[in-house]
């Protein structure tokens, strides 16, 4: 295969950043927070009904909380982007020649000769001045713009999907093996999530997997210990 054909097949990963971040964060929280909650209640001596009720309540509340948090956070980012674009529109209307010089200066700073930089700036301005300035001056590429609804939906769906795994383990296992089943299922799910997220994001899978396993194990151990201590006191 020629080099030119390989270049045409390149798939860049930056456009995945918005939904991938929300989905990985949501799934990780769903798995880990639900597992920790279930283990904490079980460690305190809660009945099967109490463990499952706590897990279901945690899943629903967590999914709604993640959706709301992502929507508010990403909406704030979107508002900032829109404010920058409104300012840029006003500047383009008030001083188009000055904005053209500014755009040409950006291209000169990136290594283009002065005449070519001016020519490129003029061509891109004619094609779409606001688009050129938003991309090259403000760094706001369309594929990476903040999307609040997408982030909220991805996060809530991923949280729910993740929470189902430890919750299912708690429901299917009984008695003395419940806690062990929840821990095993949770660690397997976290390992799979870490490897999948790394693959989708183009990161080293071993590092990502080890990271989520380390923090996941620590969170479950602390929560279970608190549950045991609380159950003993109460």
């Amino acid at each position: 295969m020629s080099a030119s054909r390989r270049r045409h097949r390149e798939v860049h990963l930056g456009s995945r950043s918005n939904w991938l971040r929300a989905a990985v964060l949501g799934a990780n929280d769903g798995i880990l927070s639900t597992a920790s909650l279930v283990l904490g209640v079980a460690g305190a001596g809660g009945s099967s009904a109490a463990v499952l009720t706590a897990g279901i309540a945690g899943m629903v509340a967590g999914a709604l909380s993640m959706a709301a948090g992502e929507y508010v956070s990403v909406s704030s980012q979107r508002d900032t982007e829109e404010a920058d674009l409104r300012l840029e529109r006003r500047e383009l209307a008030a001083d188009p020649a000055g904005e053209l010089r500014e755009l040409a200066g950006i291209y000169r700073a990136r290594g283009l000769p002065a005449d070519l930089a001016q020519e490129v700036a003029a061509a891109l301005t004619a094609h779409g001045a606001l688009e050129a300035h938003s991309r090259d001056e403000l760094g706001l590429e369309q594929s990476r713009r903040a999307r609040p609804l997408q982030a909220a939906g991805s996060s809530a769906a991923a949280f729910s999907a993740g929470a189902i795994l430890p919750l299912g383990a708690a429901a299917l296992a009984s008695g003395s093996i419940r806690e062990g089943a929840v821990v095993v299922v949770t660690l397997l799910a976290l390992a799979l999530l870490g490897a999948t997220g790394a693959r989708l994001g183009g990161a080293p899978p071993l590092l990502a997997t080890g990271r989520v396993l380390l923090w996941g194990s620590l969170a479950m151990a602390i929560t279970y210990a608190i549950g045991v201590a609380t159950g003993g006191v109460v």
Side-chain angles (χ1 to χ4, degrees), residues 68-125:
E70 282 290 333
Y71 184 81
V72 170
S73 174
V74 179
S75 291
S76 297
Q77 178 184 345
R78 182 78 174 192
D79 291 343
T80 301
E81 293 175 355
E82 291 296 335
D84 283 340
L85 290 174
R86 286 193 298 271
L87 176 60
E88 197 61 36
R89 287 190 188 96
R90 291 196 297 268
E91 291 176 346
L92 284 168
D95 186 14
E99 290 299 299
L100 178 61
R101 289 193 298 271
E102 183 179 26
L103 195 61
I106 292 172
Y107 299 141
R108 287 197 304 273
R110 293 180 181 176
L112 291 182
D115 291 344
L116 182 56
Q118 185 67 32
E119 184 179 345
V120 170
L124 291 178
T125 297

Side-chain angles (χ1 to χ4, degrees), residues 43-45 224-234:
Y224 184 74
I226 291 173
V228 171
T230 303
V233 173
V234 175

Side-chain angles (χ1 to χ4, degrees), residues 7-99:
R7 281 196 297 271
H8 284 299
R9 289 192 172 192
E10 287 179 356
V11 178
H12 295 285
L13 305 176
S15 60
R16 298 175 177 175
S17 59
N18 284 321
W19 66 263
L20 180 60
R21 180 191 62 83
V24 170
L25 178 62
N28 184 80
D29 278 2
I31 295 168
L32 191 52
S33 64
T34 305
S36 297
L37 180 60
V38 165
L39 289 172
V41 175
S47 64
S48 295
V51 169
L52 293 179
T53 300
I56 292 170
M59 179 180 71
V60 174
L64 294 176
S65 176
M66 288 291 294
E70 282 290 333
Y71 184 81
V72 170
S73 174
V74 179
S75 291
S76 297
Q77 178 184 345
R78 182 78 174 192
D79 291 343
T80 301
E81 293 175 355
E82 291 296 335
D84 283 340
L85 290 174
R86 286 193 298 271
L87 176 60
E88 197 61 36
R89 287 190 188 96
R90 291 196 297 268
E91 291 176 346
L92 284 168
D95 186 14
E99 290 299 299

